[in-house]
Amino acid sequence: MCVAIPAKVIKITGAHAEVDIIGNRKKINILLIDELSIGDKVMVHAGFAISKIDDEYFDFLRNIFEEMMVDSP
Amino acid sequence: MTQEEKRFIEKIVTQINESIKSDIRIMEVCGTHAYQIAMFGIRKLLTPKIHLVSGPGCPVCVTEPDYIDALIALLRHENVSVATFGDLLRVRGSSGSLEEQKSLGRKVITVYSPEDVLVLAKKKKGEYIVFAAVGFETTAPLYAALLQTAQKEKIQNLFLLTSLKRMEPAIRFILGEAGVHIDGMLCPGHVATITGIGPFLPVTTEYNIPAVICGFEAMDIIASIGILCKQITGEVPHRLINTYKRCVRDTGNPTALCLINEVFRISDVSWRGIGMIQGSALTLNHRYEVYDAAKRFNLKIETTTTSFPDGCECGKILIGEKTPDVCNNFGRMCTPEHPMGPCMISSEGACAVYYRFGGDEI
Ligand code: SF4
């Protein structure tokens, strides 16, 4: 039930935004997000944006792993 | 997935499988993780020595029958409609399910978002709309935002019947009082998106169990299991790692947390199959109690000990002590079409996930 899906912000109108979710346009509530801009990516849970997301995650995951290897004795 | 990402996954899987020499148990607390792990076929990639067990993180599975009975009791009022997320429709109380009530012509309305409930309340002015507010910290701020808007717009026919739960007390219960043995924990990424890493720190600092806050893509899950294995085998020290940083900040979502504090207070609630866990509920505080359906309609939600159908092992499955295949009803008397226990009802329930995708035995 805690499912959230990524979406891209297309238009902002007050407490709502129009987003693109895998090619579909949807209106979502953005009250929980401070400072949102057009083009930002957000995670959407039950019609609300709950977090902005950063797309560089592959590099991030790889970095964590490499750091761990350095940690190893 | 790019070739580079595929190679990364293969490298980690090989490392994991070579490093694990004896049986280990990793708990995925979140129902969405249980679903994704099964859907991606992650068990098939890993050595059978790694047992991935479920935890209590399917909100629908842990909702007490008394709560469903209270919603059904509300439907007897002529002017009341109950709005609910689809997940809850088939959960049974002692007097049946909301789905059955709907087929009898009672006013049960399925919604996708709390926003839909606001629209409903505005449209049905002469009626009362009661929203079944179920979920964890991921969903709690949405209900809070809904009530704040209702207050601002002076909407007076909208109420919540809450059964909102907090993750940290449940995790403490499993690792402490219940004494469930696990070697590592995949922590729920979307709860942490709201709460931050705080509620998950004790897993490592107090219980000394490796823990990773994990996202929901195959790569997130594999990398997180890889990190857990490195900690479990002693290659690196035990500490909480957040591999879902693209979404989870250490401090969570401060706006959402503020809203939760503005609208809710912490209290106790009983979890289906587990029992009472102190401090594990979010209920409306005095500022918002006018929106409390239990108060408005004088409902008493008893917290009696849950009884399960004969042979149903959901109580043990929800705390990771057992897996669905040990239940004699599984796949025979109990299927998603004819569910007996709560773990077979929600699509994210451990039994439903096992039934659909298979489990450890593959
Ligand atoms: S298979 Fe059905 S009866 Fe058995 S534990 Fe799961 S939900 Fe309960």
Side-chain angles (χ1 to χ4, degrees):
Chain A
M1 202 186 151
C2 295
V3 179
I5 38 174
K8 192 170 176 179
V9 178
I10 294 168
K11 197 169 142 194
I12 298 174
T13 338
H16 293 90
E18 208 174 299
V19 293
D20 180 314
I21 303 181
I22 335 166
N24 295 315
R25 294 234 171 171
K26 241 185 149 35
K27 189 179 155 197
I28 61 159
N29 185 304
I30 52 167
L31 270 176
L32 303 179
I33 308 292
D34 296 331
E35 295 177 31
L36 194 65
S37 316
I38 288 167
D40 280 349
K41 295 221 178 113
V42 288
M43 279 316 251
V44 180
H45 167 60
F48 279 65
I50 56 166
S51 174
K52 277 204 262 189
I53 46 176
D54 162 14
D55 252 356
E56 302 300 316
Y57 77 99
F58 176 56
D59 286 339
F60 169 74
L61 275 184
R62 191 163 50 189
N63 286 343
I64 302 194
F65 234 81
E66 274 155 18
E67 267 171 40
M68 287 239 144
M69 310 291 262
V70 178
D71 266 3
S72 318
Chain B
M1 195 180 287
T2 64
Q3 283 305 319
E4 202 188 3
E5 289 171 352
K6 268 198 187 134
R7 276 198 297 276
F8 175 68
I9 289 188
E10 280 163 14
K11 189 174 129 193
I12 300 178
V13 167
T14 314
Q15 274 189 28
I16 293 174
N17 290 345
E18 282 171 1
S19 70
I20 299 301
K21 307 279 187 246
S22 51
D23 284 6
I24 59 165
R25 285 161 53 83
I26 293 177
M27 175 180 276
E28 81 272 348
V29 179
C30 172
T32 312
H33 274 148
Y35 187 92
Q36 297 291 92
I37 286 171
M39 190 190 73
F40 292 133
I42 287 178
R43 283 189 180 84
K44 281 183 253 177
L45 299 175
L46 300 174
T47 155
K49 292 194 168 69
I50 301 179
H51 303 275
L52 298 171
V53 298
S54 296
C58 158
V60 170
C61 305
V62 293
T63 299
E64 284 282 28
D66 313 288
Y67 174 78
I68 304 295
D69 289 340
L71 289 170
I72 292 176
L74 278 167
L75 289 167
R76 290 190 203 113
H77 294 260
E78 211 179 292
N79 269 340
V80 173
S81 296
V82 168
T84 174
F85 289 127
D87 314 47
L88 208 61
L89 280 179
R90 301 176 69 205
V91 183
R92 300 188 72 79
S94 60
S95 47
S97 67
L98 289 173
E99 191 177 55
E100 286 168 3
Q101 293 291 315
K102 194 174 179 174
S103 68
L104 293 172
R106 296 250 156 81
K107 288 181 249 171
V108 179
I109 302 165
T110 313
V111 293
Y112 158 75
S113 165
E115 294 266 285
D116 302 341
V117 182
L118 201 66
V119 174
L120 260 177
K122 285 181 189 170
K123 207 164 86 188
K124 296 181 176 256
K125 280 227 171 69
E127 294 185 30
Y128 300 110
I129 311 292
V130 177
F131 191 13
V134 170
F136 290 114
E137 287 98 331
T138 320
T139 321
L142 281 53
Y143 297 118
L146 169 70
L147 289 193
Q148 221 183 30
T149 310
Q151 198 178 52
K152 258 187 224 144
E153 298 189 13
K154 301 198 166 46
I155 293 171
Q156 286 168 348
N157 60 336
L158 169 65
F159 302 89
L160 297 189
L161 191 68
T162 62
S163 182
L164 286 165
K165 297 188 171 71
R166 300 174 63 232
M167 199 52 99
E168 184 182 343
I171 290 178
R172 283 179 181 278
F173 174 84
I174 286 170
L175 300 180
E177 217 175 311
V180 175
H181 166 78
I182 55 164
D183 300 287
M185 183 177 273
L186 285 179
C187 301
H190 290 143
V191 170
T193 300
I194 303 298
T195 63
I197 64 170
F200 304 101
L201 283 168
V203 178
T204 313
T205 55
E206 288 178 39
Y207 300 99
N208 194 25
I209 289 171
V212 175
I213 292 172
C214 179
F216 298 86
E217 299 297 334
M219 201 161 59
D220 293 316
I221 298 170
I222 302 258
S224 300
I225 293 176
I227 288 169
L228 285 177
C229 288
K230 280 183 179 292
Q231 296 194 28
I232 293 167
T233 53
E235 272 183 69
V236 296
H238 293 185
R239 64 168 197 258
L240 175 72
I241 305 269
N242 175 10
T243 58
Y244 199 31
K245 274 210 168 127
R246 71 181 185 279
C247 206
V248 176
R249 324 275 176 263
D250 285 2
T251 49
N253 179 333
T255 311
L257 286 173
C258 254
L259 259 174
I260 291 180
N261 288 335
E262 158 74 19
V263 172
F264 298 110
R265 68 186 169 86
I266 292 174
S267 58
D268 308 331
V269 70
S270 178
W271 296 51
R272 189 172 196 154
I274 297 175
M276 181 65 78
I277 304 179
Q278 307 243 307
S280 67
L282 290 171
T283 37
L284 294 168
N285 66 24
H286 65 278
R287 285 190 291 273
Y288 285 82
E289 65 186 7
V290 290
Y291 298 101
D292 187 344
K295 290 214 163 72
R296 171 65 183 77
F297 298 97
N298 216 1
L299 292 167
K300 255 207 145 28
I301 303 182
E302 309 284 348
T303 42
T304 45
T305 328
T306 322
S307 61
F308 284 108
D310 272 355
C312 177
E313 299 281 2
C314 279
K316 297 265 187 311
I317 290 169
L318 286 165
I319 57 171
E321 266 186 12
K322 291 195 172 170
T323 47
D325 48 327
V326 302
C327 171
N328 284 329
N329 301 329
F330 179 78
R332 297 183 190 102
M333 319 244 291
C334 183
T335 61
E337 288 71 40
H338 300 284
M340 288 174 69
C343 298
M344 192 59 99
I345 292 170
S346 162
S347 59
E348 293 185 349
C351 296
V353 168
Y354 251 66
Y355 187 85
R356 181 152 175 204
F357 300 106
D360 260 352
E361 73 280 4
I362 330 171

